[in-house]
Amino acid sequence: MKIGKKLVQAVSFNPTEKSHKMTVLDMCKKIETLDITLPLYQRDVSWTLNQAIDLLNYQLLGKAPVAPISMNVIWDTDDFVPQVSFIDREMLEMNSVDKGQMSVVDGQQRLTTNYKAYSNSDDFRNIVLDVARGRFLLVEGAFTRSQIPVGMLLNKDDAVFYDYLTKNNMMKDPTFMTVLVQCRSKIRSYYYTINQAEDLSEDEQIEWFEVLNNAGSRVSALQMRFSKMKVHGIDIYTMYTLKFKNKLLEYGYDFFSPQKTSVSYPIAALNPAYEVVTDKVHTDAYAPIPSDTKENQLCALKPNVLVECFDMTLKALDKSIEFITDNNVSAPDRMDYINYLTGYFVYNPEPTEEQMAGLVEWYENVDFNNKSNSKRRTIFTQMLNM
């Protein structure tokens, strides 16, 4: 009977022998010193504040450990996935690695949450520990006497933490202070299991990630393609998709569920700008719908031309929001209205009064429900030809 060589090799190797533990505090310190980084293909931070609060509460109050963090340790600097820093996603140079570069395959959102609290990120300014209620929560406006900002409670600097306590009368109470010190100590010393591999290729890392997340979101080809543009100085998340999403959220328009739509809709909205900058005559294949994203064509553009597409689309998005606000039309109940209007204003940045009147009529009568992709493409072409 023949026995496969790969099977013989596999049974002689146990990857779990590399697993170890690391505290939240140690991981935050390593993120700060760039000893823990992210592979270039990783998407941007996607957790909401409520998801971050859920993690903080579970670390403080939960009765079971949080799931492990998965890291690929890089030793071979001749063949590795380029690395970026947490939060600002700056490209890093690694000419040599003496102690192994720890690259996060799975766990970015959890590590980012803890690091933002550790570094007192402005993103977390409204997250507090409410001692009276016994949990972390989100607040608007002034804090009560029994609340302490998470960036003070878990601040990397002990002096900052104690200075905050001494300047707040209620927190100087020995009992109150003792509880806060215990909360700070528990979370900072909270252990995560680190599942570790070494010198995985990009494909091996993605395969590992997808096995870990096969019940949730996957790293899409679209996200992978654009993440690699960071090599050319283009970070699509900070330069475009986050701006696109935040402009809509400011007006209460949140169509980004599931999470993958927060990338696919903004990328699809770039199709009209691509046609404009390349002097293409519009075709149905470039409708601003998620099924027609053109990541390969967009990434083939020169970096300055791609940035021009970003700027053109974001300006058109502003016009779309103004159109809805200024013309007393009903709020959109799906993202198609936003993407189609944005595409229209890319082609027609200064429409006439007659064109605006026609656009209002179109908006009030168009129906996207139960339409095939073919029909949705036709709707956009007909809109442009009004």
Side-chain angles (χ1 to χ4, degrees):
M1 180 182 294
K2 182 179 179 181
I3 300 176
K5 291 183 179 179
K6 288 185 177 181
L7 178 59
V8 174
Q9 293 172 347
V11 297
S12 65
F13 171 68
N14 184 353
T16 62
E17 292 176 353
K18 296 285 186 178
S19 295
H20 59 280
K21 292 183 178 181
M22 192 181 302
T23 66
V24 166
L25 178 59
D26 285 340
M27 288 189 290
C28 287
K29 287 180 177 179
K30 288 181 181 296
I31 290 172
E32 189 170 38
T33 57
L34 301 180
D35 291 313
I36 294 180
T37 54
L38 296 167
L40 184 60
Y41 64 77
Q42 282 278 20
R43 66 186 184 191
D44 62 333
V45 177
S46 62
W47 270 16
T48 64
L49 288 178
N50 286 329
Q51 287 174 301
I53 289 170
D54 287 344
L55 176 68
L56 292 168
N57 277 324
Y58 198 83
Q59 290 176 169
L60 181 62
L61 308 170
K63 295 183 178 180
V66 175
I69 300 289
S70 299
M71 295 191 189
N72 173 47
V73 179
I74 300 169
W75 296 98
D76 182 4
T77 56
D78 293 326
D79 183 21
F80 66 96
V81 178
Q83 299 294 297
V84 296
S85 61
F86 275 74
I87 312 300
D88 57 12
R89 296 180 62 85
E90 290 296 324
M91 285 283 296
L92 305 177
E93 291 188 14
M94 291 197 306
N95 298 321
S96 63
V97 179
D98 296 329
K99 52 186 177 181
Q101 181 68 41
M102 304 183 76
S103 176
V104 178
V105 174
D106 184 57
Q108 177 191 2
Q109 309 302 328
R110 285 168 285 160
L111 288 174
T112 300
T113 295
N114 283 306
Y115 184 70
K116 283 186 173 182
Y118 167 87
S119 60
N120 193 20
S121 169
D122 190 54
D123 294 342
F124 281 14
R125 63 186 178 278
N126 293 328
I127 299 178
V128 301
L129 174 65
D130 189 312
V131 177
R133 299 186 189 181
R135 61 188 300 105
F136 289 99
L137 48 84
L138 191 64
V139 298
E140 297 293 341
F143 304 151
T144 68
R145 294 193 304 160
S146 64
Q147 294 174 341
I148 179 173
V150 68
M152 292 292 104
L153 176 68
L154 301 179
N155 197 282
K156 61 183 177 182
D157 190 338
D158 288 338
V160 171
F161 168 65
Y162 284 108
D163 184 62
Y164 188 89
L165 297 188
T166 57
K167 289 181 178 178
N168 289 268
N169 290 331
M170 183 175 178
M171 295 182 185
K172 288 191 291 187
D173 175 270
T175 303
F176 202 101
M177 183 178 289
T178 298
V179 169
L180 290 178
V181 170
Q182 289 174 330
C183 291
R184 174 180 169 85
S185 177
K186 178 175 181 177
I187 291 182
R188 284 158 61 95
S189 61
Y190 191 97
Y191 277 104
Y192 272 77
T193 295
I194 308 298
N195 288 333
Q196 179 177 309
E198 296 184 354
D199 286 328
L200 296 182
S201 68
E202 182 174 303
D203 289 341
E204 288 170 334
Q205 290 177 55
I206 294 169
E207 180 184 14
W208 190 15
F209 179 93
E210 291 182 344
V211 169
L212 293 168
N213 291 273
N214 58 8
S217 60
R218 293 163 65 93
V219 176
S220 68
L222 186 152
Q223 290 171 307
M224 287 280 300
R225 191 75 170 88
F226 277 106
S227 291
K228 293 178 182 179
M229 289 298 292
K230 183 74 174 178
V231 172
H232 304 291
I234 304 293
D235 189 337
I236 193 170
Y237 302 115
T238 59
M239 297 173 69
Y240 176 67
T241 58
L242 280 178
K243 291 182 179 180
F244 190 103
K245 181 178 178 179
N246 288 338
K247 282 177 184 286
L248 293 176
L249 292 177
E250 286 176 12
Y251 286 85
Y253 304 143
D254 186 2
F255 301 104
F256 303 111
S257 181
Q259 172 63 29
K260 64 181 180 180
T261 59
S262 68
V263 176
S264 59
Y265 273 119
I267 299 306
L270 290 169
N271 285 356
Y274 176 83
E275 288 191 306
V276 170
V277 300
T278 57
D279 293 322
K280 286 176 57 69
V281 176
H282 174 67
T283 62
D284 283 357
Y286 283 80
I289 59 178
S291 61
D292 291 352
T293 56
K294 307 296 182 188
E295 56 271 20
N296 290 332
Q297 292 89 328
L298 288 164
C299 288
L301 295 172
K302 293 180 178 179
N304 65 307
V305 178
L306 182 57
V307 171
E308 183 182 353
C309 287
F310 295 165
D311 293 341
M312 189 182 301
T313 304
L314 291 172
K315 288 176 181 177
L317 176 61
D318 286 335
K319 288 181 179 291
S320 301
I321 295 171
E322 291 172 6
F323 170 85
I324 295 169
T325 303
D326 296 345
N327 287 281
N328 198 31
V329 295
S330 57
D333 59 3
R334 54 190 298 158
M335 189 63 194
D336 300 87
Y337 290 96
I338 300 292
N339 266 28
Y340 279 52
L341 286 172
T342 299
Y344 181 88
F345 287 119
V346 166
Y347 287 105
N348 302 284
E350 299 295 337
T352 64
E353 290 186 10
E354 182 179 0
Q355 287 174 321
M356 286 294 284
L359 197 57
V360 170
E361 183 178 357
W362 172 88
Y363 183 93
E364 293 179 336
N365 290 284
V366 68
D367 181 10
F368 291 108
N369 291 318
N370 300 318
K371 294 294 190 297
S372 65
N373 285 336
S374 177
K375 181 60 179 175
R376 282 146 60 85
R377 297 182 185 108
T378 301
I379 290 174
F380 184 64
T381 300
Q382 291 173 339
M383 175 194 187
L384 295 180
N385 294 330
M386 286 190 304

